[in-house]
Structures are given as structure tokens and as C-alpha cells.
Amino acid sequence: MNNIQLISASAGSGKTFFLMEEIAKRIQGEGCDVVAPEAIMATTFTNKAAAELKERIRMKLLGKGCAEEAQRIYDGLIGTVNSICAQLLKEYAFEAGLSPAVDILPEEDAKRIFQMATKDAIEKFSPTLELVAKRLGLMGYGSGFSKQDDWRDFVQRIVELARSNGMQLNDLDRSAQNSWQSLNTLLGTAHAESMNGEDERLKEALIKAVALLESGTPCKKPTIPIIRDIHQKMMKGWELSWADWVTIENIAFNQKDDEIRSLWGPWESDDVATKARHLKHPRFRSDMKAMIEGVFACAAEALSEYAGYKKKQGLMDFVDQEVLVLDMTTHNRSFQNSMRERLQLLMVDEFQDTSPIQLALFLKLSELAKDVIWVGDQKQSIYGFRGADPALMDAVATQIESLNPEDAKKNILKHSWRSKELLVDFCNDIFATAFAHQLDRSKVCLSIPEARKESGAGGWLEDWLIDGQNATTRSGSMVAGIKALIQEKDIQPGDIAVLCRSNEECSELSAALNQAGVRASIAQGELLATQECVLAVAALRYMTDSSDSVAMAEIVCYADHHSQHQGWMKQLLESPNATKEAWKLDPIMQSLDEARGRLMFLTPLESLELAMRCVGMDRMAHAWGETDQRLSNLDQLREACVRYQDRCKSRRGAATVSGFLTWLYEVRKELMQAEGHGSDTVNILTYHKSKGLEWPVVIMASLQKPSKSRLFGASVQEAELFQADDPLQGRGIRFWPWPYGTKRSVEAISLCLDDSEIAVKAKKQALSESQRLLYVGMTRARDGLVLARQVKSNKAKQDWLDELVEDATGNMILDYDEDAFLIQQGTQETKVYDAQTRHLASDDSAQAQAPSKARYMLPKVETSAAYPPATFAPSGVSWGDLHEDDVEAQIKARLGDRLNLCSNPKMADFGNAMHGFFGADDVNCDQASRLSMAENLLKNWGVAGAIRAADMLKASDRLTAWIQSHYPDANMMREWPISMKLSNQQETQGWIDTLLELPDGYVIIDHKSYPGTETGAKAKSYAPQLQVYKQAVELATGKPVLEMLIHMPLAGEVIEVRFK
Amino acid sequence: MQIIFDMAYDQQVAPHGSGAGSAAIGTLYVGPQGLLNVLETQLGLTGREIHHEIRIHAYMQRMKDALSDADAGYYRASFQEDGWSSARQLLGWRDELVLAGWNGAHSSDFTAKLAALALLEKGVADEVRQSLGDRLQRVAQVLSMGNQSLHIASVIVEGDAFLPHIFTNLFGMLAEMGVSMVDAEHEIAPSDGNLGIVKDAMFDASKRRAMVQDHDDTLVLLQADDEWAAASVVSAWLKADQKKNKDVLVIQKQGSDVLDQALAQSGLPVQGGGARSPWRSALQVLPLAIANCWAPLSISTLLELLSLPVSPVPAVAAKYLRAAIQHEPGIDGESWKKAESKILEKYQGYYVEAGECESDALERANRLVREIREFLVDHKSGSEGIEPKRLQDLCEWVKQGFVKAEVDQHAIQAMAQAGRLAELASKESQPIPRAQVDRMLDSIIAEGARNPDDQSEAAPWMRVADPSAIASGVETIVWWDFIDHGSRPSIFWSQKERAALAGIGVELESSIQRRQRESAGLRRALKFAGKRLILVAPEKHHGTVQQLHPLWDEIRYFAADPSDKNSEDAWKVLVQSCSSLLESNHASFMGRGPCQFELRDRAFLEAGTASVTISEGAIQMPEKLSYSQMSTLLGCPAKWALQYASNLRPMDSLSLPTGNQMIGTLSHRIVEELYTDPDLWGVETIREQTEIYFDQFVPQMAAELLEAGRDVERCRYRDQVADAVVLLVNAINKAKLTVTKTEGQVQGKSLGSIPFHGYIDLLLADEAGRAFVIDLKWSGSSRYKKAEVENGEALQLASYAWMLQEKPEDDWAPGAYFMLAQGELLTADSSFQAYRTLESPLSVQEIWQRGEKSWTALFQDVQEGHVAFTGMQDEELLNADREERDLMVASPPCHFCEFGNICGKTRGAQ
Ligand code: SF4
């Protein structure tokens, strides 16, 4: 840990700039040893961040005149943790005893693979757990909001937590015990006596009650179906769930329902705790115990089954990679040695977002690296939901800093390079107080540096009170505010970012904005519902299957350039068959029909592109207006196809058009339209996604929502004591299953648990996380910050902001006045910040106008000329203009006897062997080496024994002799390259087997290993090829080709081919 | 012969001297591979190409043989994990060493890794020694023996960056043999303007740096939001001055459908050059056929195999089988068997038509069916692996599919791949585990194939795939995909390894050398651009956001004047956005004009209408009628017309039934089976019997439940179905009814003049012989059906009752829905003695009469030419209208409708 330089970089403090300086310094060896660019390991959280980091480093190095180093950066290990781990595992697979083929298990498949892998464990435990799960409502039944948890998901979740926290089987054991005991204790002592009679009593009561109802005994109306449902369930012999018991305990009666109410006996009371008899029911306890222990036990088995399965399949997920690299880093000598050489600088960006296992990995890697820089900001740790553990991070940071307290002070970046002064002060004041209990002021507060004294002055705040009656008024008032800002502040929509808590809020708001004529960045709903995608997909469908008449109708309906577009529906209904036939005659359909024949050679993506091309998709997008958006959507569709193909690859499956279409419809709910961007588009995104970004103006929305602590479900429990050399030691998991299915809140159980230490701690964690999220949000703003609070029934609601409290006193930090924010800082005086207050209501009268968008020009369509292929091979040339009758072939010379083929060789290979020999044979060489060359060639072409090697020599000898006697002055060139570009731009390249240069021209000789006897006709068939050679030679040399000869070594003939 | 060599010249090189209407002989531009080919030819060393997989396999064998050696410790564990991939990886390293000149020599300084490689090299098969390095070494060896005659006059070595050791070595030998060796340093084409400024800074450190200027388009980064905009600009620009195009060179790494389309539309030749891809349809046959030979069966994979444009299952047979699994998603069930007999019949017919005699035709058709059974139904291989013989047979089957389809030579690549897998299988004697088959397949398929139809057309401009293949100056260079294509990281060799290798004369290329060469190659785009360099960078490629090409970093840097603090952002003047060019009909840009542009006519997709009017009587009476037709018409007359009168159908392979639909069919089948043979069970054993049937039918009708990891779900379904059946039987018994018929067809009545027919799930009778009807439903909730009964809209039940009525005075058979998943009997008839009898405002007879009336009236509307899209109408008004006419109210079935896009329902406001 000693070598770790931990840089605390608050939001906007110029982290990247600082890092670049540090890296460049090291590469140049300024005041330190020179670091080789390829010996840098830098981890980021996204591929994009990695690419940016590389680019920045390169620019920096180029700026320092280190062009070569800038290029060498590509050999360093810069990327996401996982891409680096993947590379290391591949490179060091043998050291680690692993398969070098690292197949990454795609996240979307994780669940499926987990189920497949752990089926034995699940099967083993399901006979017991399924029964319990039914009663606890943990079967995963239902959908949407009324979907139950599934006990098997908890098994998976616990396995995941165990893996990402490096837990072992005994940790799970301990966790199971702790989970059950803590819960059991909090629920209080259970009834000692068996409560088996309870069911009978209830049944009796229900039967009587239903009988009474049948006879018309009065009862509160909503209560009747409840009684009936439970009664029916009991009559069917089905077991009651604990949610049913809660229902029974909470049945509400009217005054006059006494007769039925009296049946309720023990479950009727004004006191919540008294009537909640099920909590003390031994069976309830045993169910909970069985579930907790069963899920942990099942998880323990699943953990090893999962590992075994992936190993067998050669699959790995991100956590596996991290665990394996951690393991190599900790235990593998040769890896350690190699890394010691290789790792001169380790840089970890955004260290606050690392998962526990990653943290452990970084700590270990740091031991191997010479120089280590970790950069991050504890205040921006907002990925708890993804497994980051802020508490662990804090512990590590404290430890590192305690080693070198002096350095620690130096390693705090102090200046704000982002926000204007007023905003910097505002955030300083709020968060120095909010984080006071855990962070020193110096780690929170920034100041405006000298260089920005002028440009950094100013800044503004606004306090919006928006009408929060319902979603519509909420969005409406936001729109009104945004419009006002654009008008009054002279800013572009693209300068504004609105931050929301959830994706739903984002889409709601952007829908409202779009309706009001302001473009918003967030996707506007399903991709496949857009008209451009409907048309594209219809084209693809029809192209794949001509019987898809729905797709055909969609094309006719959407494509205005389809000849039958006008009045198509009427025609279809009036004369279906004739109309459908007429549709097919249109050029669009015909091009799709024609394309169908080529599908066999296309990839799914190419098929989609071809389909789009056939319907003139891009031009349709221009015709419909909103071209940018539509083209982006079409791009999004192409991207989906690429994603499908990638997915097939990682599943080692096939990718087909029908598979793509099936997948497309399967995931259609998740495929969203492309996000807009640009200066005319208001950015709308979640707080989580805003991290690392900045805008001139930031509007904080969703402030009414308080944070929620998660008491039930599975979560990680910190260790009692943090140990730096084994940071994951002693951690555990708490798993409390929610026993009431889809019933979301049950007062009785809350009464038991809410004040417990565990609940208080969970609450506190949630609170801290929500404060950090606010920090991230507020610090995104450069010039102006808006807090958009909701007013409901005349009361402003900002529960989330109210969670900004001073730890010591519990007092709220932020308060509000007309045109001012007030900040309370402990005992100090209240600080007042001017902030314009706007009372906003939704303005229905505002005319919705579609955002007007420029239209784009398109290149003028020309009827396309037919162009020949760019290249052609001389041997592939057809007769073309040449006519067979114009060619004659005559035997020019008989060189000797026919040579015999000994076996039945593959003629192509045999020909190659012969060519190979003629191309290289030197008749002046010694016989032995010539023979061995001939034999080797025959062997290498897989035709050994096809001809006697001596015969090959004979063929070569007699040809050479003939040439020498016939063309005594010839300069002989063998395997001579030619290249030619015709006037129609076609290019060709080839080899002339033998070219004889004579004083007045050339002779072309081509060898053909034709075994037959029709040598004349055969030779003639090569005329087109020879023609190409002739043309090339004549063009290149300006001299004529005097003769074109085909040499047939087997027949022992030389045949002249002549054009009449 | 004269050879011009550069490390990058194995790809297409341009310009290479010959313009249109010219030719060259005896001159050759080559890279390493090309040079090797020339030398091998001249030395008589040619031979058949050995595919990489065969090399991997041979290396794997060698690794296996050497396993017991101490030095094998390095790879032993990995090899046992995954022999194939281990061999592939080690072989890659070996090849790199051989390329650096290693001949297998051992050294005492070797690390474990090198020692292992040396160990393997000792007994490695000839097949392995076929890498570029091996072959270059062989050439060098032959050359070193002397007395070889080469027909090479000179070699000009271009490029000023470092050459790998093996080439300097080779060139040394050539020089000794009298080949004249020339090092050619390229001239830098002189340029004006911004291009000149950046070039000066880049190539001549001594020149004073200057800052690029505005209003100069000699060096342009053309930025576009998408490929379409970029393609529009580029094609319009190329079109604008075609005479000058012979002085243009286009750099394009990957084929672009979008660019080609734009070029074609402008009447220009297309670039072509689509990449090799493993995803071509023809190449999916093999992996899909193999995927189908494993247990448990994956039904969606089977569907994919049956949906391919070409497959060993002939098209018509595939269609029948597709239909079968669409109905019952499994194999070898009733539907599957029916499909088999249809195939038999159909193909026998085909063969007879083709001139075969009856018996021959039958035999051939039988063979076809047998083959399909053999490869799709019988003997699935499990965890023990697949027998090599069977794998070979499968490959043969796949190959034969291509032959049958009579496709031309284009399918050869696919057949060759199947052949190679068969060859690999033939080398094995034990069953091959799935993981290894997958890996072998991966290696074979990964090479992919090109689309034979995707050809570059002859164009006046020159093309290269990479700037390093530019060989001399050219006036304008257009770099189409100026985006970061990623760069392969160098293999890491430790200092110790490098030193040990150097000790035995093996010089590994360093990262520095490799990167220098790479960088020099990229800079050629600037070096050789005389007048203009246009860098085209669409922000997205195939919809994925791209990074700019790393060369841009350098250009940006050299565009500034370091002495001027304010010039850091000077590069911004180099950026030109496509949309701004296209927004305002710019007549000319980047030195050309006028460009021919046009606007596409505006088009509006009309909002859907609530109804259309067509000519009276255009819609014919249907030939027959069923309840589902009737309810469709009642729900939405337009849907009815489109579906039944116009016969619009979606393609059939989009999805397979799953979930409720699948279990529903399965439960029906089980109930049917139970009541077909009621003697097999009694009330006490009904549960077991149900479970027996469940297990029997699942592979045939719900095969997905057999997939690994679905056991719990299968058990839950088994339980649920058993629960449902028990409750159903109890309900039937409680009402003292007996089942007289299952899935019984009823017909014989007509509505108006249209014959009416239907299937009744369960037809029952009480002791008095009175008929009862139960319709089985599997659905997530019983709410809707309950409401239907309570609102007096249970038309389906009423239609059965009506059909069962023989004489008008007969009773109307009481009917009930049995909700399987809930175990609830929904009925308004007390004789069922249900847990609770619902109250219906209408009697069965009244319901039917109202339904009949509604059908007649609504159908008449349609016939009169008024076709209503009820889903597009205001629901209240619609209901009010129906009530006024005393017709049944039914909510429009938009959720289950295929026509939402064409009727406008799902079109919304766009
Ligand atoms: S989507 Fe609705 S309105 Fe349109 S045809 Fe189908 S059912 Fe009728």
C-alpha cells in the first residue's frame, strides 16, 4: 500500500488534466524513472472512458514531442477492468492452468446459464423449498408490479454476492445462521404451543361466514370477495399463504357486520400486534427458517456447480475473471514476476466505483507495480446497487492515507475547473456539512483557481415550485420552467440537463417536452413502433418469406412510392387476390423478390441492409421529415442486429434472419428509439447516468422522492474489522425473505423490525447513498443550478433534499425562502443564497408545435449505369466478343511420346505440381536435384506417384530443347507477372507461364496438363485467356505477340492458337 | 523481374503505375506473402495449402504425445482443460517465433514457456511447419545452398520503417545472389494550404510550425451523424467532377452498404468489398445441424434450422415440420408424425412427376423421411460426446443439402467447411465432447466467407483498404471510414525471453518497431495526398458510436502552432459537418461543384381511419364459420375482413408457442387422452395418470421444458396441470356428469346460409342424458372469462349449445369454462354445482340469439361496404352505438392483432 498515491478528486476538480500531467511526466522521466508506455496499466469503467483516456494521453505525448511513445500506448493495458483481465487471462492461461479461450458469458444470458449450471442444486432443494415458497409467496408468479420474488433468484443473488465479495462456503454458513437468528430474535418469542388448531378454526369461521353471506347477512362490500376467495382456496384444499393470513388479520368490518365479525375472534383486534398472530405462529417461523437456511444451503451448492459448469463449458463472467486474476496475482509466482517487469505504472480511475473483489485485485496488483495512482472521489460513490461498497472504500482510503498523512494532504485536488463561483460555494457549504462526519472539509470544498478568477465569477440558482398534482401537471410545469429558462437566460436547449431518479420519469418528461415542441434527448418509446422500423422490418420479413402478406401490406401502406400505395386498403378489401398480385408487380416488391435468392450468402445484418435498400428506406426517412431522428432509429435497428450477431457469437450459436426476427420481437419492449442530441435538444437523464458529465445548466428533478432502505432480500454485511491485507475477510450476507408475496407493506412486521439496529443501519446507508447522489447531481452544473421541488396540496415536497442533514444534530441543512436558499451549518450563521423562485404550473394553452427541422438534400438519383467488376482473372475470361470460329488451333510441334499418368490424381493439384515444376526447373542443374524437386512437388501437391518424376524432367527437357532450337535468340522469362488496366477501368493481374522475348516481338507459352487426346479443341478453349495475355504484353511493351502456344506436356505437343 | 516490396503490399496497392488503358509486365508489388509466393515458385517449393485447423489439430496431437515430458508442465493443466484452444494459442506463439527466425533450437536460458515450445517443436508434424515463417525459412535454406537461379533482377524495398529481421536476412541473401537491392525512400508530395501546413509539421521537424487557417479545404474532416449523410456527400462530390476521379484514391477498410447504395443511386460504380463473415446463411447450416444433434433438444434451434434458405431438409419438408412444431413445440408428437406422412406423400408425388416409377419414388421419399428422422429425431448425443462417425455423417448430410439445392459454386465455401469438420472428426477415435466440437467448429467457421455477389465495380478512382498500401503520390485522397478500427496488441515476451532468444539468433520484433511501422503506414495518407485529403468520419458505424481514427490525434496536434497558446483548438477549422453541407444546397465544396442535389418529396403517413368504405357486396360471404371468426367480427369487423376475407397472414416462423399457450394445448391433450381411456384411472389415481401423460407429452408438445435448468418449472407445471385435472375431474364428478366426447367436432348447422362448425373440448351428459359442455382455458387470470359470463357474453358456450341442439324445442346445453390454472369452473348454470354459480343477465338461448343478431347486423354492415376499425373508434361511442342497435358489445382485439401497423392503431402520431 505504501506505493499507492491516492488522489482525492472532487467533482470538477480537473482530474483528467492532473492525470495526464502525471503520466506524461513519468513517460518522459521527469523527476522519476522513465516509464515505458507499454508498461502502463490503467483501468476505467467504460470502454468509452478508456478510449478517451488513450486519446488524451496521446495528445499529451504528442504535445511533448513524443510521437513514438504516443503510438506505443496501444501496447499498454488500458481499458475496463474486465477487458484487461480478459487479456491477462488469455496471455497467462498456461500459467494459470486455464483454457486460453476466454469466452465471456453475456450478461443477458447470465440467468439462463446459471439455471442450467445449477440445476442439480435447485432440484435437490426444490422439493422442500417449493412448498415453503408457495406459502411465503416466493414463487416468482405474476408480472409487473404484482410479480412475486422467486426463491431461486435469491439463490442466484447470494451466489453473486458471495462471488463478488470473495466469500467461501463457511462464510455462507455463518451468514445463514446470522440471518435467521437476527430475524428470529427481532420477531420475539414464538408461541410455544402448537397452533395447528388455527387452520381448522379459520376454516370453520370461513364456512360459517360464507353461509351467512349467502343468506344475506350484512357485510362491508369490499370484504365479501376477500372472504370468498380465501374460502374457495381452502375448499380446493390449497394451502393458505402468509399473505392470506395477513389479509385475514386485517379484514375490515363495518359497524353492522357484527355477526360475521364475531366469527373472526382471535384475528380481530384494534391492536396490530395482537391480531398479528401469524408472526408468532411456529409454522411461520419454521417456514422462514427453512427458506433462509435452504436458500443459503442451495446457494452453497450452486456456487460450486456454477463454477464447475462454466469451467467445463469454457465460459467466464466478469467476476470470474477478476477472481482468477486476483488469484494469479496473489499466488502465481511466474505471473507475479512477469507483472513486476511489465507493470511500471498502475492507474485506477474512479476507484470509488470498484466492487469489493476489484478493490482486492487492485490492492494486490499495486504490490506488483512500481508506481501506483488511484484517483477517485468517495463522495461520488453511487453504484452501491451494482455492488460497490462505499464503506469498504472508506476503510481502504483511510488506511492508505494513514500511511503517509503528509502526502495525503497534497493529494487532494483543490480547484474547481468546472463551475462558477456561486455554485462552488453553494455546494461547498451544503456538502461540507453533510459529509462532515466522514470527510474532512478539505476533501469536500473547492475553490476557484487564479486562472479562472474572471471566467469563473458569477453563477445562478433557481428554486422551482412545480405543480405536483400528478404526472401530467408535473411534466407540464417542468416544461413551462424550461421554456422560461431558454427565453430569459439566452441558452440553447442543449445546454440544459434535467436529472431524474428513474427512467420512467425521464420518458414521461421527455414526452411532455416533445409535445410542447421542445426536443428531448431521451428515447421516445419502442424502436420497432417507429414507422421507419416498421417499414424496414416488413421489408426484411417479406424478403425472407414471400408468404408474409401482412409484411407486404405494411410495405404498400408505408412506402408512398409503391405504385399501389393510393387507396390500397380499399382495393385489398374489394379484391384481395388481384390486389396482392398487383402489389407484387411493383419494383419495390420485385427487388425484394430478387434479393430473396441471394439471402443464402448474406449475414443477418446484410440482409437487413439489403431489405432497407430495396424499399428505399433512407429516402423515406427524408420524405417523412424528422430525418435525423429517423436515420438514428434505423441505425439503432442496425445496431440491434449487430448486437444479435454478437450474442450468437458468445452463445456459440448460429445467427440467422429468422433468429434475428424472433429475437427482435422477443426484446421489442427493451429496444428503445435512438437518443437525440445536439444544441436543440434538452438532455434528460438519470442522476446515475449523469456522473462524469457536465452542462451549463442542471435542473434537479424527482426531489420529492425519499430514499428507500432495503431491509429484506439479500445484502452484504461488512466485516466487524477491516484488514488491509485481506480486505474481504469477515464479510457476510444477510438474507431475509419477504414472506408476503406481492403484499408490499405489512404493518405488523414493520413494528417488530423497524427500530432494530440492522434496520437503522440500513437506513443510514441508504441516506448516505442518497446524499452522494445529490452531490453528483448538483456538481454537474457549470453556470446555473435549478432545484425543482414539487408542490402538492399547497405543500412543497422535497423529501430527498430533506435528507441532507447534519449528522450530529439531525438538522436539515437546506431551507427555502422566497427567492433564496438558506443553508444551516451547525452553530454557524445561516448562509443565504439568492435564488429566483418560480411558481410553475402546466400551461395547457401553449400551442404544441412540432419542432421544425431542417430538411436535407440528397444526391440526385441517376439511372445507374452497368459497370463491370473491378477486377478479373485472365483464366476466368469468357469468350465475350471473341468468336470460336475466329480462332484456330494447330499443332506446332510434336515433342515426343505421350507421357502416362499412373493413378487418377486430382487434376487441379496435378496441374499445379506440373506448373510448379516448369516454373522452377533449370535444365542445367544436376539430375538428382531436379528429380528431387519434381518428387517434392508431386508430394506437396498431394499427387505423389501421379507421374514418374523422370517423365517430368523429360517433358521439361524436350520443351527446352525445342525452344532453344526454334527460338535460338529468345530471352526466356518464366512465371512472368503481368498487370493491365483496361480502358473501362477493369484491372487484371496474372502470370504468363513462359514468355519468350524475341527481337521483333514475343511468344507466349502456357502449360496445360490436359490428359486427354482432344488437344486441338482443348487448346482452342484457352483462346480468351491467351488473348488477355497478348493484349497485356503488347500494351506494356509496344511490341507484337508473334505466337501464342499451348504446351501440353502429357501429349507432348505444342499447339499454336491463332486468331484469324 | 522487378519486385517492389513493402510490408503492407500484400493487399491491393495503389497507385501502381498502370492507368486506364495501360499494362505492365515483369513488375510486381508484393508484401511478405507475395514475396514468398514468388520465391517458392521460382525455387520449386510450391504445394497444397494446409488449413489452419489442420495445423492446430496436428499441434494438439503433438502436445498430447509430449504430455508426460517434464517441460510439458507448462501447458499440461490448460491442455487438459481445453486441448484445442491450448494448441491454438501455443501454435500462434510458435509461429511468431518461427517468423522471427527460430528453428526449434533449445537454450538453457529458456523460460518454461519457451522450453515447452522447444519440446513440442522437436517432434512436430510436417503439417504444422507451414506458417509464413516456416516457409520463409525454407526458402532461405534453399537459397543458402547456393546454385539456384532466380529470375529477379531487382527488389525495391519501400517504406522507411523498420523491417522484421527475417526479411532483412532474406534480402541480404538475395543481394548476395546478385539481385540488385534498392531502398526507396518516398518523396513527400508537396501541398499547399492546411494540408501543406500539417504535412510540414509532421514530416519535417526543421520547418517552422504554423497554425491551420479557416476557409481552406485541402484537409477536411467530414463529420456526419450517420453513414447516410456521409455517403450522400461523398457520392455527390465524386459525381460532381467525374473527369477528375482518376486522380482520386479512396481508402476504405470495410465494405459499406450505405455508401454503395448512395454511389449506385448517383450512377457511380460501387465499392463493394464486404467483409468475410461467419454469419452468412450458408455457413449456418453446419452449426445448426450440429446443435440439433445434442440432447436435450433446443426447439428454437430446430426452428432456425428449418427456416434456413438452404438446408439439408428440403424446403417443402421444412415447411411441414415448421408448421408441426408451431402447433406442438416438440418433436415426434402427433403433429410431427402427421408432417412426416405429408412429406412422404408430397415427395413421392414430386419424384413420380420427375419421371420415377411409383415404387422407386416411394423408396426415395421414405429415405428422405428416414434421414430427417435420423438427424433430427433419433439418437441425440449427450454429455459423453458425439461419436466421430456420427459427426462425419452429419457433415455429409449437410454437404448433401447443398448439392440437392443445386446451388452453384457459391456454396462451395460452406461445403468445404463441412468437409473440414468431417476430416477433423475422422482423426478422432473417441466420442468428442460438445465443448471440443464447438471449438473446432469455431475455428473452422471463424474464417467466414465472402459474399460472392458483392463485387467492386470498375471505377476510375483507385482504392486501397489501408493507407499503408498507398505506393505513390495522388492528387486527392478520400478516407472513407476514418474511424478507429482497433489495433491488435503485441504479444508480450519478457526481457528474459527476448534475451534467451537473442542468444540463439532469434530477433523478436519490439513493440517500438512494430508501432513505428504502423505509424509510418498511417501517415502515408498525408504523405501522398498532393492537393487534398478528405477524412470521412460517420459518428456511427452500424449504429454503434465510433472513435475517430488515432491519426486524427496527430493531425490535430500538427494543426496547431505550439508557440501560440491560442492555437490549441486550431484543428476545429478542419472540421466540416455533413449536415450543414446538406442543409443548404451548397453548390460546391472541397474543390468541386456544382453538386447535383434534390429534395425527396414530402410524404406523410396518414393517421389510421376509423372505417373505410368499399363498394357494396365486395366482401363475399365466408364459406364456413366458426366461433372464432364470429367473435373476431364482433370485436373488429376490419380485423375480420383482413384476416378472413383478404387472407393476410404473417410469416410462419416468427415464434413458437410458449408459456400459457403451450401449457394450454398440452393440458387439452392430457384431458383428451384421459377421457379417451377412462378405464386406465380412477379418482384415486387420476393424479398419477395425469403425471404419466404429462411426462409423455412434454417432449412432443413442450420440449423447451426439458432444456437444462427448466426442471423446477417443469415440476411446477406438472403440479399445476395435475391440480387442474384433479379439480376438473372432481367438478365433473360432483355434477354427476360423464364425458361423452373430447375434442369432438360439431357441425351441421348454418348461420344464415353459412355452415357453422366447431370443436368442443368436453362434451358431457348427466344421468338423464342431457348434454353439457365444458370448454377448457389456460390463462393467467380468470377475471376476463368471469366477466364474460357475468355480462351475458359467453358466446362461445352458447354457440356450442346451439350447435348441439337437434330440434328447436330441445334444451340448450348448459356450458361452463374450466379455468385450468385457477381450477375454477365458471358457469351461470347451477346444474354444474360449481363452487359458486355466476349470474348471467341472459339465458344461453338469449346470448346466442343476441350473438347471431350481432353477427348478421355487423356482417351486413361489411357487405354494404362499411368496414369499421373498432379499435380506432371512441370506445364509449362505439358501445353506445352497439347498445342502441341492441348488439353485443365486445372490446376490440387489438392486443392480439397483426394489423395494428396497417390499420394505424399502433402507428400513433408521428
Ligand atoms: S389493431 Fe385493432 S382496430 Fe386495428 S384491425 Fe386490429 S383489432 Fe381492428
Side-chain angles (χ1 to χ4, degrees), chain B residues 361-374:
Chain B
L362 180 63
E363 172 49 32
R364 237 181 103 190
N366 260 319
R367 206 162 53 226
L368 173 69
V369 173
R370 261 204 317 275
E371 226 172 60
I372 293 175
R373 279 200 79 79
E374 175 177 353

Side-chain angles (χ1 to χ4, degrees), chain B residues 250-530:
Chain B
V250 179
I251 305 172
Q252 185 181 357
K253 196 171 190 86
Q254 300 170 328
S256 163
D257 188 77
V258 173
L259 176 62
D260 282 355
Q261 184 181 2
L263 289 171
Q265 283 187 344
S266 301
L268 295 169
V270 304
Q271 289 282 92
R276 296 190 83 90
S277 169
W279 300 125
R280 310 205 169 279
S281 262
L283 305 188
Q284 308 310 302
V285 186
L286 184 62
L288 280 174
I290 290 173
N292 268 300
C293 75
W294 301 103
L297 158 92
S298 154
I299 192 76
S300 54
T301 312
L302 178 60
L303 179 64
E304 273 191 82
L305 177 68
L306 295 173
S307 308
L308 285 173
V310 173
S311 96
V313 185
V316 176
K319 197 174 155 72
Y320 285 129
L321 294 176
R322 235 160 39 213
I325 59 176
Q326 219 98 44
H327 182 59
E328 295 180 352
I331 46 172
D332 217 14
E334 259 182 18
S335 305
W336 182 277
K337 294 215 169 91
K338 265 189 215 147
E340 281 183 350
S341 29
K342 272 194 225 145
I343 294 170
L344 193 67
E345 191 185 321
K346 204 69 187 191
Y347 278 84
Q348 189 188 3
Y350 289 157
Y351 299 145
V352 169
E353 245 172 62
E356 286 182 41
C357 76
E358 288 275 338
S359 64
D360 284 0
L362 180 63
E363 172 49 32
R364 237 181 103 190
N366 260 319
R367 206 162 53 226
L368 173 69
V369 173
R370 261 204 317 275
E371 226 172 60
I372 293 175
R373 279 200 79 79
E374 175 177 353
F375 290 109
L376 296 185
V377 181
D378 300 339
H379 339 285
K380 298 270 173 219
S381 304
S383 51
E384 72 292 348
I386 185 169
E387 289 294 333
K389 174 73 176 65
R390 185 164 165 76
L391 184 54
Q392 273 174 278
D393 290 350
L394 247 168
C395 294
E396 283 310 316
W397 186 53
V398 167
K399 276 167 75 176
Q400 174 206 323
F402 287 103
V403 178
K404 270 190 286 194
E406 283 175 24
V407 284
D408 53 15
Q409 41 133 348
H410 293 344
I412 285 174
Q413 293 165 318
M415 288 169 73
Q417 293 187 350
R420 287 219 289 287
L421 185 63
E423 188 182 339
L424 287 178
S426 73
K427 292 175 191 278
E428 298 283 342
S429 53
Q430 297 298 314
I432 318 170
R434 181 164 193 174
Q436 189 181 334
V437 175
D438 285 346
R439 293 248 137 95
M440 297 191 319
L441 203 54
D442 262 2
S443 303
I444 290 175
I445 298 210
E447 69 161 30
R450 280 187 205 288
N451 172 10
D453 292 334
D454 175 35
Q455 284 194 340
S456 307
E457 290 176 345
W461 58 83
M462 293 163 275
R463 323 173 223 232
V464 292
D466 195 280
S468 52
I470 309 178
S472 63
V474 58
E475 197 180 279
T476 301
I477 293 179
V478 178
W479 190 333
W480 163 254
D481 39 13
F482 189 64
I483 49 176
D484 189 357
H485 294 283
S487 160
R488 188 176 52 88
S490 308
I491 297 175
F492 175 77
W493 298 98
S494 68
Q495 305 286 349
K496 201 170 164 223
E497 284 163 337
R498 283 176 185 275
L501 287 163
I504 54 167
V506 179
E507 296 279 351
L508 281 166
E509 197 181 10
S510 72
S511 156
I512 303 174
Q513 290 160 335
R514 193 185 139 212
R515 295 299 175 187
Q516 256 179 2
R517 190 171 59 241
E518 189 178 85
S519 164
L522 295 177
R523 287 180 173 198
R524 284 188 179 195
L526 283 117
K527 190 177 227 175
F528 288 133

Side-chain angles (χ1 to χ4, degrees), chain B residues 761-818:
Chain B
D761 288 344
L762 288 178
L763 184 59
L764 314 101
D766 65 5
E767 281 154 344
R770 191 160 71 113
F772 284 71
V773 173
I774 292 182
D775 193 67
L776 304 175
K777 299 272 180 229
W778 188 291
S779 125
S781 152
S782 58
R783 211 165 59 226
Y784 299 104
K785 282 286 152 200
K786 202 169 183 175
E788 198 182 297
V789 175
E790 284 177 333
N791 295 340
E793 288 161 356
L795 187 58
Q796 184 175 12
L797 298 175
S799 76
Y800 296 146
W802 169 66
M803 279 193 288
L804 288 170
Q805 222 188 12
E806 281 165 12
K807 289 181 277 0
E809 63 276 18
D810 284 353
D811 280 347
W812 289 71
Y817 293 121
F818 186 76

Side-chain angles (χ1 to χ4, degrees), chain A residues 526-535 558 633 673, chain B residues 910:
Chain A
E526 278 182 33
L527 179 66
L528 292 192
T530 62
Q531 57 198 52
E532 51 279 10
C533 290
V534 167
L535 181 53
Y558 280 59
N633 286 340
Q673 289 190 41
Chain B
Q910 297 198 19

